[in-house]
Structures are given as structure tokens and as C-alpha cells.
Amino acid sequence: MSRDEKNETEDLLSRRMSSGSASAADKQTQAPLEAANDPSTDTEAFDPITDPIAEDAPKHSADAKPSTGPVRVTPAHSTNPHSQPATASTRAAEQNTAQKSADADSAAATSASTDTGDTREVPQNARTAVMSEADWAAVSKAATSTDTRDPEVPERRRSVLDVIGTIWIMIAAPFVLLALAVRFVASGIFLKFEYFRPGFPADQFGFSAADREHYGTYVIDYLHNFDSRRYLADIVMPNGEPIFISDELSHMADVKGLISLLYLVALVGIIGSVLFGIYMCRKGGSGIHAGVRLGSIFSIVFMAAVAVVAVLGWDSFFRGFHKVFFADGTWEFYADDSLIRLFPPQFWVDSGIAGGGLFVLLAIILFLLSFTGFKKRRALRKARKDAEAEV
């Protein structure tokens, strides 16, 4: 290689090296500029709460209608070439301008509401409230009201079933009370009390008090069991003779049928009263107190009338009762027949007094129970009247 060629090669290498160092220097000088535009390396902290966000759109005046369209927001570190970097003084100026604008808007709204009274203009493209002014006024009144009365007072409405139920309970009450009184009289306890009480007449034909209790208990059991008349026909005295003759057995069968019918009517009355009572005690129903009260009053009046007739003439009353419920010739016996010896006339007088007294006592208890909840019902009626008066 000649000297000229060697010199040219050295010059080419030196030019390449100088160009490489220049490009490296350019890169070093460009890096700080890019870092200055990087938001993550900004030395001034940006607070999204206190620092306002610059808007490209101009501010609207107080008379301008609010826009519901999208708002273009320029970030604080935008690379828009037309925006200038925000400084502390610039942000403070923008805050003061925004505060003055807000004060002006509030003052304009206050003056507008004062001029037009309580009404206000709703922008055409603004969202309307779900509740009206009247609804808000009603809610505010209910929230601030000090009235402790229950605003919902159930109104009692008497339907056809309520009337039928009241009549049913009123009619069923005497039968139920009469069945209870008969069951008390036709019991072993009352029978024993009668036979062993002082002053009860003795049997003229040889039955002692123990014999009367022994044979009389069979009669009471027969009235309440499901056996036929043979239950009494099988009862014999120690000498083997039957206690009851055929006529007595027929009469006791009639008595058993009458008492069974009374128990059946009372049972049907109780079931119907319970069903009607469930319906009548519904919310807003008439309740059963009226039926129970009327039934108890009717029972007391009925028993008082029966007592007056019985006191005026017991024999006539006793015979008239048997003529109504039994056939003629089936209920009259001789003094030495077993039924007369076991159940003499004094027994029936005592039974009438005991049964009638228990009947009236139960009727009085029902009458008192019918006033249960009377104060509550009276308060409800008063509240209903007050509510109707306010309307």
C-alpha cells in the first residue's frame, strides 16, 4: 500500500469516529428534554382536588343554559403545543376565577328564585325529579309529625256471614249451656250428693242409700254410653229379679235418645261457633263478642221464664215437659217401680234447681267474657271517628 492510500484510510476512520461521537452527544442532550415532558418526572406535584382542570371550552355565563354534552378536559401535563405549562401562580389565578364564577352563579340562582317565588325554572334538557313537590311536602309532613295515633285504623265491615255467625252463636249458646247443665245433673257426683245429703227422702220399699247409688249409677252410665236397652235389662237384684220392667226400659231409651239429641245439637253449635268465630275474628271483622253477649242474655231470659213457670206450679210444669217430649202412657209409673224408688220427685226438684243455677252461672260468665277487649274496641271506634272527622 502506498503512502497516499494509507493517508486516505486514516482520514476516513477519523471522520467516522467523529460522526459517532456527535450522535452520542445528541442522544445525551435529547434525553433531558424527553424527561422534562414526562409527567412522571415532573417536580411540581399536581393535586386533583385543589388544582382546577383546565378546560378548552370557554366558561358559560349565568344566563346560559347548562350543556349536557361531553366536556373536553385538558390535562395538566398535556403535550398540546398550544397549552403552556401550568405554574403555581397560574393555578392560583384559575382558582380565583372559578370561585368568582361559582359565586356569580349562586347569586343569579338566588335572585331568580326570589323573583319567581317558590317556583324554579327547570332546563329543557335537564333531568326532572322522581317525586313532585306535593309528594315531597307530604313526606316532610309525615317525617316531622308528632301525632302518635295509628294512621291505619281498621274499619269494621259487617258482611252477611258476620250476621249469620252472630245469630248462630246467639242460638247455640243456650243449647251448649243446657247440655252442660244436664251433664252435671246426670253424673255420679251429683247422684251421690243427693242420696247421702241430709233430708233426702228414704225409700219406702227397702232400698238403702248404697243400693240407690249402686243401681242409679247403671242408669247414668246407660245414658252416656252406646249400649242398647239390654244394658239395663241385665241388671238384677240379689234375688234374681230384674230391676227394671219393660215400660221402664222403653222410657229410659226415650230419655237416652232425647239427651243424645241435645248433646248432638250442642256439639254442632260449638263447631259452627268456632268456624264462624275464626271468620269473624279476622282483621276488620265484627268479632264474636256481640253473638256471645246476645246468646248469654237470651239464655238468662229463657231460664228465668222457665223458673217462673216451674215455681208457679211444679207438677204442671213437670207433666207438661213430659207431654211435649214423650208419648202419652210411656212416662207414668207406680210408686213401687224402680225408677220412682231411685229417682223420687224430690230428686227432680233438686235437679231443676242445680241445673238451672249452673245454667244461669255459665250464662253470666259468658256475658262477662263478651266484654273482653272492650277498651281496645272503644279506642278503635274513637280513632275511626276522629279519622273520619279529619277527612
Side-chain angles (χ1 to χ4, degrees):
M1 181 180 299
S2 62
R3 180 176 298 273
D4 295 334
E5 293 178 355
K6 184 177 181 181
N7 292 333
E8 291 177 359
T9 303
E10 290 177 356
D11 293 339
L12 180 60
L13 291 175
S14 61
R15 284 197 299 271
R16 290 181 177 178
M17 291 178 63
S18 62
S19 62
S21 61
S23 61
D26 293 339
K27 290 182 180 180
Q28 290 178 359
T29 57
Q30 291 176 1
L33 294 176
E34 295 177 356
N37 293 328
D38 189 2
S40 62
T41 60
D42 191 3
T43 57
E44 294 184 3
F46 172 72
D47 190 353
I49 304 300
T50 59
D51 295 344
I53 298 176
E55 298 182 1
D56 291 343
K59 295 183 180 294
H60 297 281
S61 62
D63 299 333
K65 296 183 179 179
S67 175
T68 57
V71 179
R72 292 183 300 172
V73 179
T74 303
H77 301 284
S78 175
T79 58
N80 187 359
H82 298 286
S83 62
Q84 297 179 355
T87 61
S89 60
T90 305
R91 286 195 296 270
E94 291 178 353
Q95 290 179 1
N96 294 332
T97 304
Q99 183 66 29
K100 292 179 180 180
S101 178
D103 294 340
D105 293 341
S106 62
T110 303
S111 60
S113 62
T114 304
D115 297 338
T116 58
D118 294 334
T119 60
R120 57 181 181 180
E121 294 183 358
V122 180
Q124 183 177 3
N125 57 352
R127 295 183 180 180
T128 58
V130 178
M131 299 182 65
S132 62
E133 295 293 340
D135 294 337
W136 276 114
V139 171
S140 302
K141 181 179 179 180
T144 58
S145 177
T146 58
D147 190 4
T148 59
R149 189 184 75 249
D150 188 4
E152 296 182 359
V153 180
E155 181 180 358
R156 294 184 179 271
R157 296 181 178 179
R158 189 180 296 274
S159 63
V160 177
L161 288 179
D162 290 327
V163 177
I164 296 175
T166 301
I167 297 175
W168 181 282
I169 295 174
M170 181 186 68
I171 297 176
F175 288 98
V176 175
L177 298 181
L178 183 61
L180 294 175
V182 170
R183 187 63 184 90
F184 171 73
V185 171
S187 64
I189 297 176
F190 181 77
L191 197 66
K192 188 173 184 178
F193 170 77
E194 278 293 297
Y195 289 153
F196 290 94
R197 74 171 180 85
F200 190 78
D203 180 31
Q204 301 177 359
F205 300 96
F207 278 166
S208 63
D211 294 337
R212 279 178 165 177
E213 181 184 6
H214 176 73
Y215 297 124
T217 303
Y218 281 102
V219 177
I220 298 300
D221 294 340
Y222 169 72
L223 294 177
H224 300 98
N225 59 26
F226 295 97
D227 293 333
S228 63
R229 57 189 293 179
R230 292 189 58 183
Y231 182 84
L232 294 179
D234 294 338
I235 303 173
V236 296
M237 291 187 293
N239 58 5
E241 293 181 3
I243 294 294
F244 304 104
I245 61 177
S246 179
D247 293 341
E248 293 175 322
L249 295 176
S250 298
H251 179 63
M252 292 308 302
D254 295 339
V255 173
K256 181 176 182 177
L258 181 62
I259 292 179
S260 299
L261 179 61
L262 174 62
Y263 290 164
L264 179 61
V265 172
L267 180 61
V268 173
I270 292 175
I271 295 175
S273 299
V274 171
L275 295 179
F276 278 113
I278 294 174
Y279 172 77
M280 297 167 65
C281 291
R282 71 192 185 282
K283 184 178 180 180
S286 60
I288 64 174
H289 57 277
V292 174
R293 190 177 307 163
L294 293 175
S296 60
I297 295 174
F298 177 72
S299 300
I300 294 174
V301 173
F302 168 76
M303 186 52 62
V306 172
V308 170
V309 175
V311 170
L312 294 178
W314 172 256
D315 292 337
S316 300
F317 170 76
F318 189 80
R319 289 179 177 274
F321 173 82
H322 282 78
K323 287 180 179 180
V324 171
F325 294 101
F326 304 105
D328 294 338
T330 61
W331 51 273
E332 294 179 337
F333 303 97
Y334 295 100
D336 58 347
D337 289 335
S338 298
L339 285 180
I340 303 300
R341 296 169 63 185
L342 294 175
F343 307 103
Q346 186 62 41
F347 176 84
W348 297 112
V349 173
D350 296 342
S351 298
I353 296 174
L358 180 62
F359 184 94
V360 174
L361 178 61
L362 294 176
I364 294 175
I365 293 175
L366 278 182
F367 180 76
L368 296 178
L369 290 177
S370 66
F371 289 95
T372 302
F374 174 75
K375 294 182 179 180
K376 183 178 180 180
R377 293 193 298 270
R378 183 175 60 182
L380 289 176
R381 286 196 298 268
K382 183 179 179 182
R384 193 183 306 114
K385 292 180 179 179
D386 294 342
E388 292 177 355
E390 291 179 358
V391 174

